[in-house]
Amino acid sequence: MAACCGKPTKKELKKHIPTKTSFVSPLTPTWRPLPQQDMHFILKTLKDKLISVGLEKKEVKVFRPWKKKKDQKPPAAPSEPAVPQVQDSPQNGWTVVAARRQLAIGINEVTKALERNELKLVLVCKSVKPKHMTSHLIALSVMRGVPACQVPRLNQNLSEPLGLKSVLALGFRRCASTDEEVFTDTVDAIKPRVPSLDVAWLPGAAPTVTPEDPAHMEVEVEEEEEAGEKRGQKRKLESESKEITESSSSCSLQPLKVKKVVTNPARKAKKKVKT
Amino acid sequence: MAHLLKDKEAYERLNYLYQAAHCVLSQNPENVELARFYCFTQRTVARRLVLKQDPSVKRTLCKKCSSLLIPGVTATTRQRRKNSKIRFTVMRCLSCGQSKTLLNNPDYCLWVDRPEAQLEQQKQPGDKPQINTTQQLLSRCVV
C-alpha cells in the first residue's frame, strides 16, 4: 500500500492540491509596537486625568415594560415623561461638558476631526477585532502629521471611567486660544512617548518632520527671490529638482509580494452539491 | 506549482502600478485622475491574465470607478450600524459615491489569512484540516 503506491500517488496528490498565487499589497500601513512601560504610563495618566476631571457620561436607565403595553401604558405614560424631564438636566448626559468638547471620543468622531485637521493626539485601542475598523486611522493621522499610537487595553481601561460601552479611539482637539482644560499637559506628557508612524508611500511621517520641510522650502524661496531673477530661477530649478529627488527617494519601490493560497475546499464542495 | 510562473512580469507590473498610484497621490493629492488610471490599468491587466489579487489590495480600490481609496483623500470611512446591532465599516469613494461595506464581525477571518490556506504548511498530502467531505475523498484515494 504505502511502498508501491506511495511515490506516484504522493506526486499526484501534490498536484491535486490546487494553489493560486495572489498579488498582495506591499503597502498596508501597520501600527508601531508600543513598549510596555509607555503603555502603562499612558493608561495611567489617562485614567488619573479622567477621574480627576470627573468626565463621565451618565445615563439613567428608564424601566420600560416590554409586554402588555396597553395595560401599563396609561399608568406608565404620565410617570415616564415626568421622570426623565426631571433627571435630564443634572444626571443624564456628560458631567463636564467643556472637557467633552476638548475630546473626540469614538471612531467616527475621531475620523471626522482628523479629516478637518483638528486633533493634536490620537490614541487607538489595539485590541480591536476586526482590524479594518481602525486601520484607516493610520494613514489619516500620518497625512495630517498627528502622532498616533495603538494602546492595547485602551478600551477596557477607559470605558469604565467614562461610563461608555466601548472606547476604541480617542482624540485630543487643538485648543483655540485659551487653554481652558488641563488636557494639554496630558497631551504633552504622552506625545514624546508615542512612536513615530511610517507609511511607505508617504513622506514625512513624524509630526516634527513636516513643519521643518515647509519651513526649509519657504526659507529657500525667500532667499531666491531676494537674490535676483536669473539666479533666483536657477536656484528655484535646483531646489525644485532637489525636492523632487527627495520625494521620489522616499517613494522607493517596494519588492513584489505574492502569496500562495490553497483554494478553499469548502467552496468546491458546495458547488458540487448544487450541480 | 513552479514558483512564480510566466506571469511574474505581470505581477511586477501590478506591483509597480499600485505603488505608482500611491506615490502620485502622496505628491499631488488632487491628481486623482492619474491614480485612477493606474488602478484601472492594474485591474485590466489582472482581468486579462486572470491574476488573483489579495483582499488587502481589492479593499483599497473602488469597484465602480477603480480609483485608489485613501481615507481622507479620496474616500471617507465611517462606522454605521443597522438597528439590529450589526455594525459596518463603510468606505465611500468621493469621486463616484460608491460605498464599500465591511461587516464588523470579530470572529471572521478571511480565507487568505487562515493557516489552512498557507501553502508552506501543507507539505504532506491528506493533512488538510477538518473539512470533511474532501478530506475523506482524498484519504480514500491514498488508500
Side-chain angles (χ1 to χ4, degrees):
Chain A
M1 215 165 46
C4 55
C5 312
K7 287 177 188 178
T9 49
K10 270 188 187 174
K11 280 186 186 173
E12 284 170 13
L13 282 167
K14 271 187 183 173
K15 285 179 187 174
H16 278 312
I17 301 174
T19 52
K20 292 188 179 175
T21 48
S22 65
F23 166 62
V24 181
S25 166
L27 297 174
T28 28
T30 46
W31 296 98
R32 284 287 171 85
L34 190 66
Q36 281 262 321
Q37 292 176 359
D38 291 348
M39 177 192 88
H40 288 304
F41 173 75
I42 289 174
L43 287 172
K44 201 183 166 192
T45 17
L46 275 174
K47 240 187 169 175
D48 298 335
K49 175 55 51 177
L50 287 172
I51 292 170
S52 67
V53 172
L55 180 66
E56 198 184 327
K57 184 174 189 187
K58 291 195 177 171
E59 246 186 68
V60 179
K61 291 190 177 178
V62 182
F63 174 69
R64 278 178 197 156
W66 289 349
K67 300 177 186 176
K68 294 181 184 176
K69 286 183 184 176
K70 289 180 184 177
D71 297 337
Q72 300 190 10
K73 240 189 182 178
S79 63
E80 273 182 16
V83 165
Q85 277 173 19
V86 171
Q87 290 176 337
D88 257 346
S89 35
Q91 288 193 21
N92 229 0
W94 290 93
T95 44
V96 189
V97 183
R100 173 68 183 89
R101 266 183 245 150
Q102 290 251 326
L103 295 175
I105 306 179
I107 302 179
N108 278 339
E109 211 174 321
V110 169
T111 322
K112 284 183 200 170
L114 266 179
E115 285 170 5
R116 292 170 207 166
N117 222 349
E118 289 172 1
L119 294 182
K120 281 188 292 187
L121 178 67
V122 170
L123 290 170
V124 184
C125 179
K126 195 171 183 180
S127 49
V128 177
K129 267 191 159 188
K131 287 185 190 172
H132 60 75
M133 275 171 85
T134 51
S135 56
H136 65 279
L137 291 172
I138 312 176
L140 250 182
S141 54
V142 169
M143 278 195 294
R144 307 296 184 211
V146 178
C149 80
Q150 251 203 349
V151 179
R153 290 164 226 162
L154 197 80
N155 191 13
Q156 299 167 16
N157 285 25
L158 290 190
S159 45
E160 296 157 16
L162 285 172
L164 294 170
K165 217 176 182 182
S166 66
V167 176
L168 292 175
L170 193 68
F172 296 91
R173 290 189 209 266
R174 293 174 204 250
C175 307
S177 50
T178 51
D179 294 353
E180 319 141 339
E181 277 314 308
V182 209
F183 285 123
T184 41
D185 58 349
T186 25
V187 171
D188 296 327
I190 295 177
K191 250 191 188 176
R193 304 242 177 173
V194 174
S196 61
L197 285 173
D198 234 347
V199 183
W201 48 278
L202 272 180
T208 48
V209 179
T210 40
E212 282 176 12
D213 284 302
H216 277 300
M217 282 157 55
E218 288 169 14
V219 167
E220 287 175 6
V221 169
E222 284 170 11
E223 286 175 357
E224 293 152 12
E225 286 175 343
E226 287 174 344
E229 288 183 0
K230 286 189 182 177
R231 286 185 188 174
Q233 281 173 8
K234 278 189 184 175
R235 280 189 192 171
K236 273 183 188 174
L237 284 170
E238 284 175 10
S239 64
E240 276 175 19
S241 60
K242 275 182 193 173
E243 286 162 24
I244 290 168
T245 46
E246 279 173 11
S247 51
S248 62
S249 62
S250 63
C251 291
S252 54
L253 186 69
Q254 308 287 321
L256 173 65
K257 264 195 198 174
V258 179
K259 215 180 197 181
K260 293 213 163 178
V261 183
V262 178
T263 51
N264 191 347
R267 256 191 173 178
K268 276 189 180 176
K270 280 181 187 174
K271 280 184 183 173
K272 281 179 186 174
V273 167
K274 279 181 186 174
T275 54
Chain B
M1 277 177 62
H3 181 69
L4 283 183
L5 300 171
K6 50 190 172 170
D7 293 331
K8 184 172 183 181
E9 293 154 2
Y11 280 110
E12 305 240 345
R13 210 175 150 198
L14 289 184
N15 187 29
Y16 190 85
L17 284 168
Y18 190 62
Q19 291 183 40
H22 279 275
C23 287
V24 159
L25 281 178
S26 71
Q27 290 179 14
N28 187 5
E30 294 172 28
N31 193 3
V32 182
E33 267 306 316
L34 185 57
R36 182 194 299 170
F37 176 71
Y38 285 157
C39 296
F40 176 70
T41 320
Q42 177 195 343
R43 188 190 284 183
T44 317
V45 170
R47 190 182 289 170
R48 288 285 168 83
L49 297 172
V50 195
L51 303 174
K52 197 167 175 190
Q53 295 187 79
D54 199 59
S56 61
V57 171
K58 290 198 282 190
R59 281 181 179 179
T60 53
L61 300 179
C62 177
K63 276 200 167 179
K64 192 171 171 187
C65 65
S66 71
S67 51
L68 182 60
L69 296 174
I70 295 179
V73 179
T74 47
T76 46
T77 316
R78 295 284 181 261
Q79 304 288 316
R80 290 207 188 283
R81 61 171 176 180
K82 283 190 178 174
N83 286 329
S84 49
K85 294 180 187 175
I86 300 172
R87 294 171 196 236
F88 301 94
T89 308
V90 182
M91 282 192 85
R92 270 199 90 193
C93 175
L94 288 175
S95 39
C96 69
Q98 177 81 357
S99 53
K100 192 187 274 287
T101 43
L102 301 174
L103 189 61
N104 286 347
N105 186 0
D107 304 323
Y108 181 69
C109 183
L110 285 170
W111 171 255
V112 186
D113 298 330
R114 283 186 208 167
E116 307 152 358
Q118 308 306 323
L119 186 59
E120 301 123 13
Q121 296 183 14
Q122 307 226 0
K123 287 180 184 174
Q124 295 173 13
D127 262 76
K128 274 191 197 171
Q130 314 93 14
I131 300 174
N132 299 315
T133 50
T134 44
Q135 197 193 20
Q136 286 170 9
L137 283 172
L138 281 171
S139 57
R140 282 175 197 171
C141 289
V142 171
V143 171

